[in-house]
Every structure is written in structure tokens, then in C-alpha cells.
Amino acid sequence: MDKIRNFCIIAHIDHGKSTLADRMLELTHTVEQRKMKNQILDQMDLERERGITIKLQPVRMLWRGYTLNLIDTPGHVDFTYEVSRSLAAVEGAVLLVDATQGIEAQTLANLYLALEQNLEIIPVINKIDLPASDVEKVSKEIVNLLGCQKEDIILASAKTGKGVEDILQKVIDHVPAPKSRADELQALIFDSVYDEYRGVVIYVRVFGGDLKKGQAVKFSASEAETEVLDLGFFQPSWVSAPELTNGNIGYLVTGIKDLSLAKVGDTIISKISKTKAFPGYKEIQPMVYAGIFPTEGGEYNKLREAILKLKLSDASLVFEPASSQALGFGFRCGFLGLLHLEIFQERLKREFDLNLIVTVPTVAYKLFLKNGEEKILTTPAEMPDPNHIEYIEEPYVNIEVVSPKAYIGDLISYVIEQRGIAKDTEYLDENRVILRYQIPLSSVLVDFYDKIKSISSGYASLNYDLADYKKCDLVKMEISVAENPVEALTMLTYRDQAHMVGKKIVKKLKDVLPRAQFAIKVQASIGGKIIAAERISAMRKDVTAKLYGGDVTRKRKLLEKQKKGKKRMAQSGRVVIPQEAYLAILKKD
């Protein structure tokens, strides 16, 4: 165990984690040069296309007689749970800071997570080769934040490979070797995936004893017993090995077929052992809820299987069955944010060939009824009669906005406009400021991050976590198209903003809905009272084109007949709402 080092790379999004991991793999000859490609640890096409890491990915490197187990982590706030699971499996963390951007919000959030785990922090300034880099300024920020010496900071360029060797050597010199926590087998499940051929593949960190092929083991939480069919390590593809020794990170294939029995955070112990289980990970609290329904009713079971498989590799996902008169059977899902929802939806579409309808995202409100009951409200359909409600509370989040000083005036104005409550302001240095506010989660949901970026010319960054609940005045707003309520567009909104929100939605629907052979009414209403309306005019066929001359009454008869036909169609016709219309509602102006 003295020759093993377990560490991860933590940083804000787009600070070069995956590129640094690429250089490490090249330097240690873990991957043959002919097989190397950019972002090699990002296994999904989606990650490569967007240039972001979504899933944590372990890899084992051999260098100068040491076994180095690296876990590459995501940087976006929506995937913080992936980072926290990675940190529980390692003893050290490389804190990567962009030389052009400096310390940003998610840098701070991930650093705090690492410090909570008592990890050894190795500060690194990346992208020093760029013309816009300011090493002196960023060094000051890191020294102020960590209380370290300037000489402790490694200067690197993941693109050119400069400083990568220094980072690996510092990992060997400063990250402590793993310590055995038990005499018998004790392995923490920190992730798992589903493979079409092998079934459930479990990612483990061994904290005590050794794992061997053919060994009888059991899962502590579920008490399910099984046998180790295969095991090994990551390079970064799966490489089979006869055993996983104490202190190492690797994968495990068992006879378990039920996805719910191999939960992330559970402990694997010997079949006859009484070894204690790890406390596991804290229960994740979803931030955003949305309904996901198949467009084809017969695909419900296919959707269920797909969600179960994705849940295995996404422990932060929460879901339960749901039904809707308009949309049929589907699932109510809880996510950590809108990007999490967007990625989940895209994976269902790509990996499982599913066409979906996703309802307007909402947050979880607390409902206090006059009879003393307390309920959690996650869908507009659950909203009872207003006469039965005592009051409603909504979730607030603590936000940290890290920005250059020049933009703080406009940023403060915008946050206050979004119902933000000031907490405090902290200067990282003479030019960079951390603004801390409490703000309703519903205000952060859709385009808050984009607006923050826009106001600050792209320089500001955002991090948030759940704070507490505060009272709010909420109403249910229904959207009707051709006088038929569209359940997927029903939403909860503040009473004082209902008219403005309703007006925007009906106008957007007017712009995106295709015209029909009859006039379409688009309306927003609260409790049966219409608060906003638009009208999409009918497509008009020239029924008189075939007439040449003759009495004008012939034309009038044809036009009158057309008018009556359109009236009948308007009474019984239905409008099919395309997915683009639902997506348009999510994007505020």
C-alpha cells in the first residue's frame, strides 16, 4: 500500500481537467500513442460534443514504481454529487485553476468538499501558455484562499504538457498512502454502470482486505449475497485482474441482476464477515422536478428500463411513476439542475432511442393546509383548492457569484430583481469579488446563469446550494390551446407575476405553433379567469380559384361554405403541439 496514491482533479468547468488527465496518461504511457484522443476519459459522445465532463471516470497509471489511481471529475454545479463521491474514494486532490479566469465559484465549492474530507490539496495553475494568463494575480488568489506559500503552487499547461511531471511527483511526495481501515474485506461502492453483456459493473475503492475472483461477498445495506465473477482496474478501459488489493480502485462484476441491490454508497464485505459498513453518502436533495412521458404510449416499459439503467450510473436521479390524462403514463423525475435534466433527456433519446415529452420544470414547494396537514408540491396538478391552503413555502438557495469588480453593480441589480436577499460580499483580491445572496430556487431554474454570464461579459461564475424555505404567494396557471387545456404547460407562478408570465407564454406559443385550417385560440388562465390570450389565424385555401366569371353569388356561396367548415373544425379540431413548443416555454427572454 505504500506505493499506491489515490487522487482526483477538481476544478471549475472548462479549466482543463480532462486535458490534464490526457497528458498524464501520455506521460505514464498508460494509453498507447496510437489510441490516444482528446478527452479520452470522457466516455460519452455527449461529453465530447459539449466539451464538459458529466460522469466521473477512474484510471490507473504506473509511474516510477508507484500505482497512481486518478479520478477525473465533472466541473458543473449540477454534477457536484459526482465530485463528492469521487472525493470519498481518494486521499488527495489536484486543485486546478485557470490562469486566465482565476478562482471561480465551482472551484470554491469543490475545494470546500475536498477540505471536508481532509484531503491533501495540491494547487495548480493551468493554461500558463495563453497570452491572457495572469499567473501573478491568480497565485495571490490561491495563497489568500489556501494559506499556502507561492512556491507550493505548480505552474502548468495541460495543452503543452509543461508541469505535468511536477504534478505527478508532488502527488507521490505529498498525497498520503492509503491506510487499511479493517482487517477483513471492506470496499466502498462509489459508482456503477450497466453493461449490455456483463450486467451491473460496480466501481469500488478497497479500504480493507483484498477482493479475488470467485470470492463470496455480500452487500451490507441490502444483505444480498453474490460471487465475484470478474474484477480488475481501469486503463481507462476495463482490464481484468486476479485480485484487487487493499487501497486500490477498480471494478467488480457479480451475479447481481437487480439494479436496486448494488446501490452507490453501500459497502461490499465477505459473505461471512461482520465488518461494519461505511456510513455511505448523504441523501441527495433534488432541486428541479419534471414529468417525462413517452410520445408513444406503448414505450412506457422501455422508458422504465432506460431510467433504471441510467439511475445506476446517476445516483443523484430521483424518480417515481406518474400518470396524466393528456400525456398518459410516465415518470416524475427529480434533478440537481436544468443541465442535469437536459443531459438526462438527451441520453434517453440517444442511448435508448426514445421520443419524449418533458413537462415544464418546477421546484418542490411545501404546502401547509388549513386542516394542519403538510404536503410536498412538485406538480401543478397536486395543487389543491386555494380555500384549503393556509400558506405555501418555496425553497431558497445560497448563491455565490464570483465576478470582476467592474460588473458588481449590474449583477447586484439583477439578483435583487430576481428576489435575491443580500448576505455578504468578500474580495478575493482588489479586482475580484464574491457576492453571496439567498434567492428563490425557481429564479435560478431556467436562464439565471446565462444572464449572469451576459451581464459580466462571460467573466462571472455561479455556484449554489439549498438553504431553507420561505413563504410565497403561488398560483396555478393553465394554458389552453384551441380551448383544450395543455397539462404539460400548466405551471406554478407568483401571483404578482402571473399576468406577465402568461402573456409571454401565449405570445411564444403563437410564434411556434404551426397554423391549422381553423383559427386557434391560445389562452392563459387562473381559476377559470383568462389573464392573457392570443389568436393564430387560420390557413386559407382559395376556394374560388376554379371559378371563371359567373355571378358573384357563386363566390359568396363557396366562401360561406368554407367559413362554416372552419367553424365546425374549430369546435372539434385538436392541435398537436410539437416538442419545440415545450422547449420554447423553458427559455425566458
Side-chain angles (χ1 to χ4, degrees):
M1 288 210 303
D2 290 343
K3 293 286 188 178
I4 297 172
R5 297 291 183 270
N6 299 314
F7 72 105
C8 64
I9 306 173
I10 55 174
H12 188 82
I13 190 170
D14 201 30
H15 278 205
K17 294 181 303 301
S18 298
T19 309
L20 178 60
D22 287 350
R23 298 294 83 76
M24 288 179 173
L25 294 176
E26 283 179 347
L27 182 64
T28 57
H29 305 293
T30 303
V31 178
E32 293 176 47
Q33 196 60 45
R34 63 189 178 86
K35 292 183 180 176
M36 272 302 295
K37 55 186 176 183
N38 290 337
Q39 292 175 258
I40 194 167
L41 293 186
D42 292 339
Q43 304 286 313
M44 286 185 256
D45 292 338
L46 206 52
E47 291 177 307
R48 297 176 185 286
E49 285 168 22
R50 290 173 175 253
I52 59 172
T53 301
I54 296 166
K55 279 290 303 163
L56 64 86
Q57 180 59 43
V59 64
R60 174 175 139 163
M61 303 175 287
L62 300 175
W63 198 65
R64 294 182 178 173
Y66 284 81
T67 298
L68 307 179
N69 292 309
L70 161 68
I71 302 181
D72 187 26
T73 64
H76 194 280
V77 61
D78 281 12
F79 304 109
T80 300
Y81 193 57
E82 293 277 319
V83 180
S84 67
R85 299 208 316 272
S86 305
L87 297 174
V90 297
E91 283 79 30
V94 172
L95 179 70
L96 203 61
V97 182
D98 190 320
T100 63
Q101 301 286 336
I103 288 171
E104 299 203 56
Q106 201 58 31
T107 318
L108 292 171
N110 290 340
L111 172 63
Y112 297 152
L113 288 172
L115 292 173
E116 279 175 26
Q117 297 281 350
N118 296 316
L119 301 188
E120 179 67 33
I121 308 297
I122 296 172
V124 177
I125 297 178
N126 190 27
K127 303 187 184 180
I128 60 168
D129 57 310
L130 295 183
S133 67
D134 192 340
V135 173
E136 194 61 37
K137 180 172 81 71
V138 177
S139 296
K140 278 184 187 174
E141 288 180 9
I142 293 173
V143 169
N144 291 339
L145 183 66
L146 292 178
C148 61
Q149 300 298 313
K150 187 180 173 183
E151 297 73 37
D152 296 334
I153 302 168
I154 299 173
L155 305 183
S157 167
K159 187 178 177 183
T160 64
K162 180 178 171 60
V164 177
E165 192 170 332
D166 296 336
I167 297 170
L168 290 177
Q169 191 56 50
K170 196 152 187 177
V171 166
I172 288 171
D173 295 340
H174 288 80
V175 173
K179 291 178 182 173
S180 182
R181 298 191 190 176
D183 295 330
E184 296 184 26
L185 175 63
Q186 192 183 41
L188 173 71
I189 302 176
F190 67 89
D191 201 9
S192 53
V193 295
Y194 185 82
D195 182 72
E196 286 296 329
Y197 305 103
R198 302 189 182 201
V200 181
V201 180
I202 301 161
Y203 293 9
V204 294
R205 158 68 198 273
V206 183
F207 281 100
D210 298 327
L211 267 169
K212 296 181 176 68
K213 279 186 185 175
Q215 188 174 353
V217 296
K218 72 175 177 182
F219 298 91
S220 236
S222 61
E223 295 195 340
E225 297 178 358
T226 186
E227 182 187 338
V228 178
L229 302 178
D230 188 25
L231 52 74
F233 48 86
F234 308 92
Q235 275 196 329
S237 54
W238 298 330
V239 177
S240 187
E243 65 176 357
L244 267 181
T245 56
N246 193 355
N248 263 306
I249 289 171
Y251 72 88
L252 196 65
V253 178
T254 72
I256 289 287
K257 298 298 178 193
D258 184 348
L259 306 183
S260 64
L261 295 178
K263 289 185 176 175
V264 167
D266 199 356
T267 308
I268 295 175
I269 58 176
S270 294
K271 186 177 176 180
I272 54 171
S273 172
K274 297 293 182 186
T275 305
K276 283 187 178 179
F278 288 106
Y281 301 105
K282 67 177 181 181
E283 201 65 36
I284 199 71
Q285 181 71 43
M287 299 282 226
V288 180
Y289 289 86
I292 294 183
F293 297 85
T295 50
E296 301 291 330
E299 291 195 324
Y300 173 79
N301 285 329
K302 186 179 175 184
L303 175 61
R304 181 177 171 277
E305 288 300 314
I307 291 177
L308 278 170
K309 285 175 184 176
L310 289 188
K311 166 69 178 171
L312 193 66
S313 62
D314 185 357
S316 56
L317 174 71
V318 174
F319 69 96
E320 61 182 21
S323 62
S324 152
Q325 277 188 334
L327 303 173
F329 292 99
F331 293 90
R332 186 77 184 153
C333 301
F335 303 93
L336 296 182
L338 269 196
L339 179 64
H340 188 194
L341 162 59
E342 195 181 326
I343 294 295
F344 180 75
Q345 182 184 345
E346 190 68 25
R347 287 186 70 187
L348 286 174
K349 187 177 172 183
R350 288 188 186 203
E351 295 173 29
F352 301 97
D353 195 27
L354 283 161
N355 290 315
L356 308 165
I357 292 174
V358 180
T359 62
V360 177
T362 62
V363 301
Y365 298 93
K366 282 184 180 175
L367 207 62
F368 295 86
L369 303 178
K370 288 181 177 175
N371 63 5
E373 277 186 68
E374 182 184 330
K375 289 185 176 178
I376 296 293
L377 177 70
T378 60
T379 66
E382 295 167 352
M383 183 87 146
D385 188 299
N387 296 323
H388 298 155
I389 300 171
E390 185 69 39
Y391 63 93
I392 301 172
E393 288 184 347
E394 66 175 329
Y396 270 64
V397 288
N398 294 317
I399 65 166
E400 285 186 339
V401 180
V402 180
S403 168
K405 188 172 68 175
Y407 303 104
I408 62 170
D410 290 340
L411 286 171
I412 288 171
S413 299
Y414 175 66
V415 175
I416 290 171
E417 188 185 305
Q418 300 300 310
R419 300 174 182 254
I421 303 163
K423 287 179 69 184
D424 66 65
T425 303
E426 180 187 334
Y427 279 79
L428 278 170
D429 58 30
E430 61 272 15
N431 289 313
R432 283 169 69 76
V433 186
I434 306 175
L435 301 174
R436 293 188 177 93
Y437 277 76
Q438 264 195 9
I439 189 169
L441 175 56
S442 56
S443 299
V444 180
L445 263 194
V446 179
D447 61 353
F448 184 82
Y449 182 70
D450 293 340
K451 283 280 168 62
I452 290 287
K453 282 286 184 188
S454 175
I455 291 167
S456 64
S457 301
Y459 287 110
S461 58
L462 171 73
N463 182 55
Y464 59 86
D465 57 52
L466 203 59
D468 57 8
Y469 282 75
K470 298 181 191 292
K471 281 188 181 180
C472 65
D473 188 8
L474 210 64
V475 291
K476 179 167 82 171
M477 183 168 69
E478 292 184 328
I479 305 295
S480 299
V481 176
E483 299 189 5
N484 292 308
V486 183
E487 196 174 330
L489 295 179
T490 302
M491 65 176 64
L492 300 167
T493 184
Y494 299 115
R495 189 182 299 277
D496 60 353
Q497 293 182 358
H499 174 66
M500 181 183 71
V501 173
K503 204 171 174 182
K504 276 185 181 177
I505 287 173
V506 296
K507 189 174 185 310
K508 277 196 174 177
L509 282 173
K510 183 185 177 183
D511 293 339
V512 297
L513 285 178
R515 289 170 69 192
Q517 293 291 337
F518 56 92
I520 301 170
K521 289 180 185 175
V522 184
Q523 299 167 325
S525 60
I526 294 172
K529 181 183 175 185
I530 295 169
I531 58 167
E534 289 283 354
R535 186 174 179 275
I536 303 171
S537 57
M539 290 171 69
R540 186 167 179 270
K541 182 183 176 183
D542 187 1
V543 291
T544 62
K546 62 187 176 186
L547 296 180
Y548 294 93
D551 197 296
V552 71
T553 55
R554 290 181 66 199
K555 275 190 177 184
R556 283 181 185 156
K557 279 179 186 175
L558 283 171
L559 291 170
E560 195 62 35
K561 187 178 178 184
Q562 183 188 44
K563 189 177 176 183
K564 284 179 181 176
K566 287 186 183 293
K567 194 173 180 181
R568 279 197 307 274
M569 287 172 74
Q571 288 170 348
S572 59
R574 296 189 72 84
V575 179
V576 177
I577 301 175
Q579 184 68 20
E580 299 79 59
Y582 294 106
L583 295 173
I585 303 303
L586 301 182
K587 295 173 184 170
K588 297 180 187 173
D589 292 328

